[in-house]
Amino acid sequence: MKRTVLFFAFFILSLFHGFSQGTIRLTIDNALKLAREQSLQMFLNKHYYMADYWAYRSFRANYLPTLNLETTPVSYAKASGLRYNSVSKTDEFVRTENLSSDLTLNLSQKVAATGGTFFVQSDLSRIENYGFNPYTQYSSRPVGIGYNQELFGFNSMKWQRKIEPLKFEKAKQEYLQSTEEMHLSTVVYFFSFLRTSSQMEIAHTNVDNTANLLDVAKQRFLLGSVTREELLDLRLSHNNALIALQEAQLNYRESKESFLNFLMLPTDIELEAVVPNKMPVDEVDVSTVLQKALDNNPDILQLEQNLLASQRDVDASNKARHFQSNVSLSYGLIKDDGSEMNNGQLKNVYSPDFDTYQQVMVGISIPILDWGNRKGQYEVAKSQYQITQVASQKSLQQFKQNAITEAIAFNIQKSRVEAAALSDTLATESYELTITRFKKGQTDVLRLTSSQTAKDNARLQYINALAQYWNYYFKLRSLTLHDFEKNMDVEFDEAAILGL
């Protein structure tokens, strides 16, 4: 446990640069990287996918040859049983006592195209009879081959081979989408922390500025260039700044702890969020966004899966309306040894001169009277399929509209960030000039307060614009599973997930 803690601490220290004693300078890229490696959501994403992976492996294994060994090592019976007496030509109860054993080796292979099962078997049985004339018998079937097939019935394997690979592909896309949604959550936490950090920084600055300006105003009040009303306004501004600082400190602490908990880091670590100075892309091609969303989004595969499942239900209910027939064919070699006259020998049942056996069995089930139950189930399945078709078409249309809207909304974010950055710069310069003018007695307190408010709002609006840009960017990545910065689809590394 101690080694784990030490390794984790070393990992954190080596991951980030530019930190001073206990403080981590966190860029958005580093936050995203740390979230991928440390967040609880990524842990859950991995194990959700692994469950889907093993479910798919189980499905694939179900269509591979299976080899089973079945045995009853010991079976003892002492009871009365009904037997036919060939001498008296009557049935009579006979007291018997025997000890038996059997062994079966079975190799089977499912045939998905037909829904049947091909098998090869080898059997060995032994029975030891007790009583007035005890004897031992052996029976072997060295090899037997056969085939079981349901005729005119529902072939579930055919539909599984269509639906299960689709479900597995959807599971991969859902894993990638969950990762992008985790990135989006990281962005939300990052900018929430950055916003409260900026608010606290602004609050500190305002406390210092109002304190300095209050000193200046007191001197000017003595000279008569500042009225008592203006002096009181500055005192009120300074007091409000102190209150705002306390609130900002509380909000900062709460957002920092939430961010650290999300990243699964100790809450006593100090963070310093760095304002992003670059944007991955300026704009995206709307048609590319739409096409990538249709190609990569798991919601599209879900629509396909729903349609296939409805078609499967229609097929199953339709086949159930008609008669069912089962055919079983088998052929093999068999040999017995042992009777009341002499005990059997194991080696004899595997010696040449085997007998052959053939078996053909046909079973038929014909529905005659079910009071419309099967027809009703079929009509329900058909109606459900039609409903699913309409719902899928509507969902697909809405999906396309949402993809186009998201792309258009993203393309205006860069200009909003640039406009907010310009407003932030202008408001800061204006406030600095207003302070200088106030100290020279060239403007009043009202103008000073208004300039300070504009400066603070412009700074927060700039951070909000950046947050909006990054939110829209990762929404697009989640929607399309495409990295627009590298111009490539988000990669799925199954080996890394499974630890191979």
Side-chain angles (χ1 to χ4, degrees), residues 35-55 168 171-172 174-180 182 492-500:
R36 286 193 298 270
E37 296 173 349
Q38 291 296 122
S39 73
L40 177 61
Q41 185 59 51
M42 283 304 296
F43 174 82
L44 295 175
N45 292 349
K46 174 180 177 180
H47 286 276
Y48 286 146
Y49 170 74
M50 289 181 68
D52 293 322
Y53 169 80
W54 287 111
F168 184 54
K172 294 180 180 179
E174 285 176 339
Y175 174 85
L176 294 176
Q177 188 177 62
S178 297
T179 301
E180 295 305 321
M182 183 275 301
F492 182 83
D493 191 349
E494 187 174 76
I497 298 171
L498 300 176
L500 301 178

Side-chain angles (χ1 to χ4, degrees), residues 231-346:
L231 182 62
L232 292 175
D233 286 341
L234 274 178
R235 286 179 176 175
L236 179 61
S237 296
H238 180 63
N239 188 63
N240 289 339
L242 291 173
I243 294 173
L245 176 59
Q246 292 175 344
E247 293 179 354
Q249 288 173 335
L250 180 60
N251 293 335
Y252 169 81
R253 180 180 179 82
E254 290 177 349
S255 66
K256 187 193 79 167
E257 290 179 352
S258 297
F259 197 13
L260 289 172
N261 286 332
F262 174 75
L263 297 176
M264 297 181 69
L265 295 176
T267 55
D268 57 352
I269 291 179
E270 293 298 326
L271 295 179
E272 180 185 346
V274 180
V275 178
N277 57 6
K278 67 179 183 66
M279 292 177 283
V281 292
D282 294 341
E283 62 179 12
V284 295
D285 180 67
V286 176
S287 61
T288 300
V289 169
L290 178 59
Q291 189 59 51
K292 290 299 180 180
L294 293 173
D295 291 342
N296 299 336
N297 195 284
D299 291 344
I300 301 300
L301 292 184
Q302 183 64 60
L303 295 178
E304 295 180 24
Q305 182 182 327
N306 292 343
L307 285 172
L308 284 174
S310 296
Q311 290 175 337
R312 176 200 60 197
D313 294 342
V314 171
D315 184 31
S317 58
N318 183 43
K319 296 290 176 58
R321 293 191 303 159
H322 309 294
F323 77 92
Q324 308 295 313
S325 177
N326 296 308
V327 176
S328 178
L329 308 173
S330 58
Y331 174 84
L333 304 177
I334 191 170
K335 190 170 185 181
D336 303 326
D337 187 51
S339 66
E340 295 179 356
M341 305 300 296
N342 63 295
N343 288 324
Q345 300 291 323
L346 177 60

Side-chain angles (χ1 to χ4, degrees), residues 121-138:
Q121 287 182 333
S122 180
D123 301 334
L124 174 64
S125 300
R126 178 186 183 276
I127 184 168
E128 185 173 352
N129 292 288
Y130 303 105
F132 178 75
N133 185 22
Y135 65 96
T136 302
Q137 277 187 311
Y138 286 91

Side-chain angles (χ1 to χ4, degrees), residues 26 37 39 52 60 102 107 139 182 284 350 400 411 492:
L26 199 62
E37 296 173 349
S39 73
D52 293 322
R60 291 289 302 273
D102 62 74
L107 177 66
S139 177
M182 183 275 301
V284 295
Y350 286 101
K400 291 179 179 179
N411 284 340
F492 182 83

Side-chain angles (χ1 to χ4, degrees), residues 456-476:
D456 296 346
N457 290 338
R459 182 60 178 173
L460 294 179
Q461 286 173 1
Y462 172 60
I463 293 175
N464 288 337
L466 282 174
Q468 283 287 90
Y469 171 88
W470 284 93
N471 281 341
Y472 272 105
Y473 178 67
F474 278 105
K475 281 183 180 178
L476 280 185

